[in-house]
Amino acid sequence: MANRAYNFNAGPAALPLEVLQNAQKQFVEYEESGMSLMEMSHRGAVYEKVHYETETLLRELMSIPEGYKVLFVQGGASTQFAMVPMNLLRAGTTAAYVATGSWATKAIQEAKLFGDVAVAASSEADAYKRIPAAEELKLPSNPAYVHLTSNETIEGTQWTDYPDTGSVPLIGDMSSDILCRPVDVSKFGLIYAGAQKNLGPSGVTIVIIREDLIAKPEGAVPTMLRYDTHAKADSLYNTPPTFAIYMAGEVLKWVKANGGAAGMAARNNEKANLLYDTIDSSGGFYRGFADAGSRSIMNVTFRLATEELEKQFAKESEAQGFVGLKGHRSVGGLRASIYNAVTPENVQALAGFMRDFQSRNG
Ligand SMILES: *Cc1c(COP(=O)(O)O)cnc(C)c1O
């Protein structure tokens, strides 16, 4: 594959080349079934095998304990911003949120449509350059749950030590860092993630929910937006996004073949260190956006002295085959998204470009 771009897209994002090639082989006819996987019933044995294998692999790779359900739903993580409070926020309780950046803010805004919301900690005053320390969390008197955004995709910050919230369920939006490293799932009541950053194509959203949190919600909640609907039906209440679930399964096989969650952590730390070292050793030419202790190993955000120079960096990098390095329109600057599937070779190429760009413009 001669013309594969250096893909640093924020999402949808790079997928492993082997996964794409294998899916291509299976695209027109899936395992001698006489048809594409996309053409077959989601109630048939062939698809069901894919469905349950994907779930089993996710359970294995994330070491999901007994007592949790894995759901495949649609609507993206953005729909989870609503489903979490619709299902878990009850009258007389308050939903607590940690305000860490752009995605946390969207989750908070959505939750406010459904009930009482409190901000338990916030780094807004520091321009969301850091993740609050666990000690900063102040819970309201009757908390329904505590919601955090594990990785702020736009600002480039990431939690390392999740807070211990005791008997209050901890909810994690892991859309942009699921399976980037080992995580103790038992700390969480619920984890959700859109697939299109670390797990596959867009179209499927993973929900991992502790069984005691699956209950009939208060008030009128549409059937499709209830966790109990999907839990009871093994995510086959209606037609699931079959091809996206198949692709997620193929990505999970790749993760397993490459050392599982621990293997991903080693690979991701190596990639992130290389870029942060390039930034830190540039004598101030590149300036990391996130505070050193809150840096993300998934989204590396940085700035140059002027917006003019940032524009030039984006333009020249594009001309050399690098894709997706412009920062999100809401914060500007530059961002390299280095999810699981982004290869160390591509990150080395980017570090080389950064040094070269500095030598020409520094
Ligand atoms: C991308 C992203 C979302 C939104 O995901 P959609 O699937 O587009 O709804 C939410 N949270 C985080 C942390 C993200 O990175």
Side-chain angles (χ1 to χ4, degrees):
M1 188 113 342
N3 282 323
R4 227 165 131 67
Y6 298 117
N7 185 352
F8 293 95
N9 277 331
L15 289 165
L17 179 58
E18 305 94 289
V19 168
L20 294 172
Q21 286 170 331
N22 191 43
Q24 183 185 42
K25 278 193 213 130
Q26 299 186 319
F27 191 74
V28 175
E29 183 180 20
Y30 183 77
E31 288 185 352
E32 297 177 14
S33 63
M35 64 187 78
S36 172
L37 190 87
M38 283 179 284
E39 300 175 291
M40 62 181 66
S41 168
H42 59 293
R43 309 271 177 216
V46 178
Y47 173 71
E48 280 198 353
K49 183 158 172 269
V50 170
H51 189 85
Y52 289 109
E53 267 179 13
T54 303
E55 181 193 335
T56 303
L57 261 176
L58 188 72
R59 284 185 176 277
E60 179 188 332
L61 292 167
M62 289 187 72
S63 307
I64 300 173
E66 290 288 304
Y68 284 79
K69 285 270 185 195
V70 172
L71 312 179
F72 301 125
V73 296
Q74 299 189 61
S78 302
T79 297
Q80 292 310 306
F81 293 167
M83 272 179 78
V84 167
M86 285 174 109
N87 284 270
L88 304 180
L89 180 53
R90 297 186 180 255
T93 67
T94 303
Y97 281 74
V98 187
T100 44
S102 305
W103 286 117
T105 301
K106 285 204 161 165
I108 291 168
Q109 278 164 355
E110 195 70 7
K112 283 181 177 166
L113 298 173
F114 302 101
D116 290 335
V117 173
V119 173
S122 172
S123 55
E124 187 182 7
D126 301 311
Y128 297 127
K129 286 170 189 272
R130 64 179 190 93
I131 297 291
E135 308 85 73
E136 290 175 52
L137 262 66
K138 295 228 167 23
L139 297 194
S141 58
N142 201 5
Y145 57 80
V146 179
H147 177 285
L148 61 77
T149 308
S150 180
N151 184 76
E152 282 285 3
T153 322
I154 291 172
E155 285 80 7
T157 58
Q158 186 175 23
W159 288 82
T160 32
D161 298 312
Y162 296 117
D164 182 354
T165 53
S167 61
V168 183
L170 181 62
I171 316 275
D173 175 0
M174 292 194 191
S175 294
S176 52
D177 68 348
I178 189 164
L179 257 183
C180 80
R181 60 187 178 190
V183 160
D184 181 359
V185 172
S186 72
K187 282 194 152 182
F188 290 86
L190 189 156
I191 291 168
Y192 62 89
Q196 68 270 20
K197 281 123 187 181
N198 247 349
L199 282 185
S202 58
V204 61
T205 305
I206 310 288
V207 175
I208 302 164
I209 181 169
R210 214 172 59 211
E211 277 163 14
D212 63 282
L213 297 177
I214 304 170
K216 188 175 172 296
E218 258 176 26
V221 173
T223 308
M224 280 294 289
L225 299 183
R226 290 168 51 163
Y227 291 123
D228 61 342
T229 300
H230 300 287
K232 268 184 224 148
D234 281 350
S235 310
L236 288 160
Y237 170 76
N238 75 324
T239 316
T242 53
F243 195 72
I245 291 170
Y246 155 75
M247 285 295 289
E250 293 299 302
V251 170
L252 292 172
K253 286 179 197 168
W254 174 86
V255 170
K256 185 173 176 176
N258 285 276
M264 291 300 113
R267 177 182 162 98
N268 292 327
N269 281 318
E270 181 199 321
K271 292 184 295 183
N273 285 341
L274 179 58
L275 293 185
Y276 287 122
D277 284 349
T278 307
I279 290 167
D280 292 341
S281 63
S282 71
F285 183 77
Y286 296 109
R287 286 171 296 171
F289 174 79
D291 285 0
S294 299
R295 284 172 161 179
S296 165
I297 60 169
M298 295 277 95
N299 308 96
V300 177
T301 46
F302 56 98
R303 307 223 56 156
L304 289 165
T306 64
E307 280 184 28
E308 223 30 65
L309 205 53
E310 288 169 353
K311 274 200 194 110
Q312 196 186 328
F313 182 101
K315 203 170 137 212
E316 284 186 27
S317 63
E318 259 173 52
Q320 295 198 28
F322 295 90
V323 174
L325 292 172
K326 233 172 100 193
H328 191 271
R329 59 193 181 281
S330 62
V331 299
L334 298 153
R335 168 177 59 170
S337 297
I338 51 171
Y339 303 120
N340 287 352
V342 174
T343 63
E345 294 73 29
N346 281 8
V347 174
Q348 279 153 20
L350 174 58
F353 173 82
M354 288 170 73
R355 284 190 297 268
D356 180 56
F357 184 83
Q358 182 177 3
S359 70
R360 285 181 284 109
N361 297 284

